[in-house]
Each structure stands twice: as C-alpha cells, then as structure tokens.
Amino acid sequence: MLDSIKKIFSGQEEETGVTGTTGKPDIAREKSGELYEKAKKYFPGGVNSPVRAFKSVHGTPLFIEKGDGCFLWDADGNKFIDFCCSWGPLILGHNNAKIREKVTEVMQNGMSFGAPTALENELAELILSNNKLIQKIRFVSSGTEAVMSAIRLARGYTKRDKILKFEGCYHGHVDSLLVKAGSGLVTFGETSSAGVPKSFADETIVVSLNDRKAVEEAFEQFKDQIAAIIIEGVPANNGLLIQDKEFVHFLRDVSAKNNSLLIFDEVITGFRLGFEGAARYYDVKPDIITYGKIIGGGLPVGAYGASVEIMSSISPEGPVYQAGTLSGNPVAMAAGIAQLTELAKSGFYKDLNKKAEEFTDSIRRFTTAKNYKFKVFNIGSIFWFAFSEKDIKTAEEIDPASMEKFKIFHRELLNRGIYLGPSGYEVGFISAAHSKIELEKTKRAIFDSLDIVFRTAR
Ligand SMILES: *Cc1c(COP(=O)(O)O)cnc(C)c1O
C-alpha cells in the first residue's frame, strides 16, 4: 500500500514492459481487460483502492469473479491459488462456510439498526476473554478509522499533539500519518499525499525503524509534546520489516519514561499472530491497540482497544469524540464472531504457522542451493519475498531496483496459477484453507519462476 502511495500518487509509475522471455504464455485477460476499460470511466484509475490497478506489475488488473477456499477465479475463468487473501482478512480462506452461514442467518433479521445489539457484546467478549492486553474496545468500520480514532484518543488522553511514526509503516490513509521522512535524523514529516496540510505533517515526527538514537533525539527535541509513538505490530505494508525485540521494548520504555503512549497498529498482525497479536510475540504491553482486517471475517470492521482508564476518555464517557453510523453493524459482527470462533480453537495458530514455516523453509533451501539473491522473510503466516541478500529491517534497505525482478516473478507466477498481491512491497498470507497439495504446487511454480527471473534479469 505504501508502494501505491509512492509510485501512483507521485505519478512515477512506468509501463511494465516485458523484460525477457517468459516461460509460459500469458493468461487470457480479455474479459478483465474489457471490465477494466469500463471501470476506468467510473473510477479514478479504474479502481477503488490504488494498489489494485496493477501499476507495479505486468498487465491489466484481474477482475475477480469468485473465491473458494484458497482459490480465486477471474472473469476470464483463470483459476489461481491466492496468497493475497483480500490483503489479510481471509485467514480461513475464501467463502468459508461457517462465516457464510452465520452472516446469512443474521441477515434474515435486517442489516443495520444504529442501535446496540447482542452481537457486539458477543464479539467483544470473544476478543477480550482471549486478549489480556486490552480491557475495553470500540468497533469502527475500517483499519484507517481505527488508527484515526486511536490517534485522537492518544492526543486527548495525554493533552499533547505530536505523533512519532516510522518510515515504512503504513497506518491507513489517516491525514496525519500520510507523512514521510524529510532529510535528517529527526525531522518533521513531509506529506506523502497531496491534500494533507503541511500543518498536519508538522505534528508528525518521522524516524527510521530500528533507530534508537533518532527516537531518543525526538523525545529530547520535543520534550513533553509527543502524545504517542505509533508502530505496526510487525511492519508489513512495505516489505516485512521484522523488528528486534530489544527495539520494541526500548520503544515501550522510552514512551513510558516520557509519559507518552505506545500505540500498536495491529490491523495486519492482530488475530494473524494470535489473539494477542504482535504485542504477545514481543511481550510488550502497548497502551492502545488497533485492529482491522481479520477481525471482520471479510466484512468492514476495525477496532481499537486499551485499558479501562484510557478508554474512559472516549465519548460518551469522556471528551474524545468518535462515532459511526454503521459501527458494530450486526452483519459485520456476525462475520467477525464466526471467524474468531474458529481462530480461538486450540491448535489453530500452531497448525497454520507450522504450514507457513515449512513452506518458507523449503523455498529458502531452494534459493540457497541455487545461490539466488533472494530472501524469504516470514513471521507466523505472513511472508515476504525480497530480491536481495540483505537482512532487511528498515524501509531504506529495500532496493527499488529489485522491483524489476518482482515484476517478472509476478507475471510468471500468474501464468502458473499463483496470485500474489500486485506489488513487490506487499506481503503474502497463508490461510487455513491452503492445503499441503496447493502449497507443494505453489513451491514448484515459485522455483520455475525464480529460474526464469534469474535467467532473464541477471
Ligand atoms: C490495512 C492497514 C490499515 C488500514 O486499514 P483499512 O481497513 O484499509 O483502512 C492500517 N494499518 C495497518 C497496519 C494496515 O495493515
């Protein structure tokens, strides 16, 4: 998603040309192509979210007709094993029967009331009884909304204005977080989107991941002004930038020492790495945690949670205003309940993570044996392929030139029936619906595609 901001909004995107011979003929895209031409008349860039436009990979976007289990079918009838999984929410795969049945059942009674329902209690109880890091929660309708509200809560609670974020972390399209680093160790951010006032960016300090000195300097320079540090549980929107435990604990300490809050944006990692997400993985207790994606079982749900004390600042209990016409929508709650009920079953994460571990390990063995400059990063069931030999922990360590190889790789994989998110900056997800058979098929497709990438683009 950051990729989309960088490349599409800045108008830097280039034609994705052919960079050598492909091993397999391209898949049919006639119907998708026609639909895309039509869509371009209706929507800016033909899409309702920028990365979907396939600007960083070969060809026009595929229009999807159907999903089932780990499979996707496009408008031309091509079938793919899907590793995008709607960008993370579908941890049980597409069209899961339990979710579908629960949603269908709840829908019989109407779609929305704008009044409390027992379903909200049910989902909250399911979450809070399995997550000891937060005591109260508020449901919203997207990850962006969750983060936007968490930032307002942090500012309202601390009575401070500034936010410290990290280069390479994406937090949705919240105005004050569409900000990138300027030059220098500690900088006021520069807006990364037109339409964000400079005065907003001035309240956001941007530093590099894994850089203690910069964080310390920010707290010195802006003493008693920083409301919160915000970081993705595991940064997974601009590559998979797995941070050291020590760095995350340092963030916890430095924010506490300065009476500022630590916000964990777990919109991707929440319920992906377990009910207690990356916070449990790092064994830290953030002050506010945001959720999205998996929490809604494929329907639009976000949430933020914190201690009883911090959450008491939220309206109508406290002075921080936050509301939503469709918040806690019964149909969306039903999907969340059905999905999280499955995830709460004993052994769910253990089995899923083991499958992901075996999958990534065997790709590593292959690329090591072949001496390819290729690295697989993974945590739980999230993985990222980088055309690099380095251990990448910061956004700055990703080589933009390596994305040329990803373009070829993406095309070869599509031609072999494997669907990855259409950008080399995006991570992939393994769901409970990916069986050993499909993962074996995928590995073979990856091996063949890598052979072609390294043959044609040395
Ligand atoms: C996806 C994502 C968001 C934004 O969520 P939307 O539902 O797309 O608004 C925010 N933060 C993180 C870490 C995300 O991965």
Side-chain angles (χ1 to χ4, degrees), residues 7-83:
K7 302 268 161 55
I8 298 173
F9 285 144
S10 61
Q12 287 169 357
E13 78 267 21
E14 324 121 42
E15 242 332 280
T16 50
V18 185
T19 331
T21 47
T22 57
K24 282 214 168 197
D26 281 334
I27 50 168
R29 298 203 201 199
E30 282 73 30
K31 295 241 170 64
S32 281
E34 282 167 26
L35 288 165
Y36 185 47
E37 285 312 307
K38 239 187 188 172
K40 282 199 274 191
K41 290 193 216 154
Y42 305 136
F43 313 115
V47 289
N48 286 299
S49 195
V51 73
R52 296 179 196 174
F54 265 52
K55 291 289 184 196
S56 309
V57 293
H58 170 78
T60 52
L62 302 179
F63 278 62
I64 305 303
E65 225 165 64
K66 190 173 90 170
D68 197 53
C70 68
F71 297 108
L72 273 182
W73 286 263
D74 71 9
D76 289 281
N78 300 304
K79 180 182 177 185
F80 304 96
I81 303 174
D82 177 27
F83 291 89

Side-chain angles (χ1 to χ4, degrees), residues 1 142-144 147 170-172 232 237 265 267-268 293:
M1 274 157 234
S142 72
T144 295
V147 172
Y170 175 75
H171 301 289
E232 283 184 65
N237 277 286
D265 180 359
V267 171
I268 281 193
K293 299 196 167 102

Side-chain angles (χ1 to χ4, degrees), residues 138 140 142-158 160 163 171 174 176-177 227-230 261-267 287-291 303-306 310-311 313-314 320-322:
R138 172 62 69 83
V140 293
S142 72
T144 295
E145 213 188 331
V147 172
M148 185 184 79
S149 311
I151 295 282
R152 187 180 307 134
L153 172 57
R155 286 173 163 159
Y157 180 79
T158 59
R160 296 174 177 182
I163 298 293
H171 301 289
V174 181
S176 53
L177 296 174
I229 298 177
I230 183 165
L261 303 184
L262 178 64
I263 304 174
F264 252 39
D265 180 359
E266 299 233 35
V267 171
D287 298 298
I288 306 176
I289 309 181
T290 58
Y291 299 103
Y304 60 101
I310 293 177
M311 290 304 275
S313 291
I314 295 292
V320 178
Y321 188 73
Q322 188 270 305

Side-chain angles (χ1 to χ4, degrees), residues 67-326:
D68 197 53
C70 68
F71 297 108
L72 273 182
W73 286 263
D74 71 9
D76 289 281
N78 300 304
K79 180 182 177 185
F80 304 96
I81 303 174
D82 177 27
F83 291 89
C84 180
C85 298
S86 193
W87 302 104
L90 307 184
I91 193 169
L92 299 177
H94 293 273
N95 199 13
N96 176 272
K98 293 218 165 91
I99 301 178
R100 188 179 62 240
E101 280 157 20
K102 177 86 180 164
V103 164
T104 313
E105 175 201 316
V106 166
M107 265 169 45
Q108 309 302 317
N109 294 325
M111 308 282 184
S112 179
F113 313 112
T117 66
L119 291 159
E120 291 154 87
N121 287 355
E122 201 181 322
L123 183 56
E125 194 179 334
L126 189 51
I127 294 167
L128 296 176
S129 65
N130 287 293
N131 183 336
K132 297 299 161 204
L133 300 164
I134 53 171
Q135 295 173 320
K136 275 195 177 178
I137 195 163
R138 172 62 69 83
F139 291 120
V140 293
S141 299
S142 72
T144 295
E145 213 188 331
V147 172
M148 185 184 79
S149 311
I151 295 282
R152 187 180 307 134
L153 172 57
R155 286 173 163 159
Y157 180 79
T158 59
K159 304 191 174 66
R160 296 174 177 182
D161 289 341
K162 291 206 190 308
I163 298 293
L164 189 147
K165 85 171 282 273
F166 295 93
E167 183 75 353
C169 281
Y170 175 75
H171 301 289
H173 62 96
V174 181
D175 274 338
S176 53
L177 296 174
L178 285 179
V179 174
K180 60 179 190 242
S183 53
L185 186 62
V186 176
T187 56
F188 288 123
E190 289 171 17
T191 62
S192 58
S193 162
V196 176
K198 189 181 169 303
S199 57
F200 287 29
D202 285 349
E203 301 298 344
T204 306
I205 304 154
V206 187
V207 301
S208 287
L209 284 161
N210 198 32
D211 188 345
R212 291 182 186 216
K213 198 157 161 263
V215 175
E216 274 166 355
E217 209 166 298
F219 275 99
E220 266 167 44
Q221 205 170 319
F222 303 104
K223 198 163 175 46
D224 300 333
Q225 297 175 57
I226 300 175
I229 298 177
I230 183 165
I231 186 166
E232 283 184 65
V234 177
N237 277 286
N238 186 58
L240 184 61
L241 309 172
I242 301 169
Q243 301 298 293
D244 295 332
K245 205 167 177 172
E246 294 73 33
F247 180 67
V248 176
H249 280 260
F250 158 77
L251 296 179
R252 175 63 286 182
D253 294 343
V254 77
S255 54
K257 207 171 72 193
N258 288 281
N259 297 317
S260 91
L261 303 184
L262 178 64
I263 304 174
F264 252 39
D265 180 359
E266 299 233 35
V267 171
I268 281 193
T269 45
F271 310 101
R272 171 63 62 179
L273 302 183
F275 269 73
E276 294 182 315
R280 181 55 65 204
Y281 172 81
Y282 285 115
D283 246 323
V284 292
K285 192 172 178 306
D287 298 298
I288 306 176
I289 309 181
T290 58
Y291 299 103
K293 299 196 167 102
I294 290 174
I295 199 174
L299 289 183
V301 183
Y304 60 101
S307 64
V308 168
E309 193 209 331
I310 293 177
M311 290 304 275
S312 70
S313 291
I314 295 292
S315 157
E317 247 177 88
V320 178
Y321 188 73
Q322 188 270 305
T325 301
L326 295 174

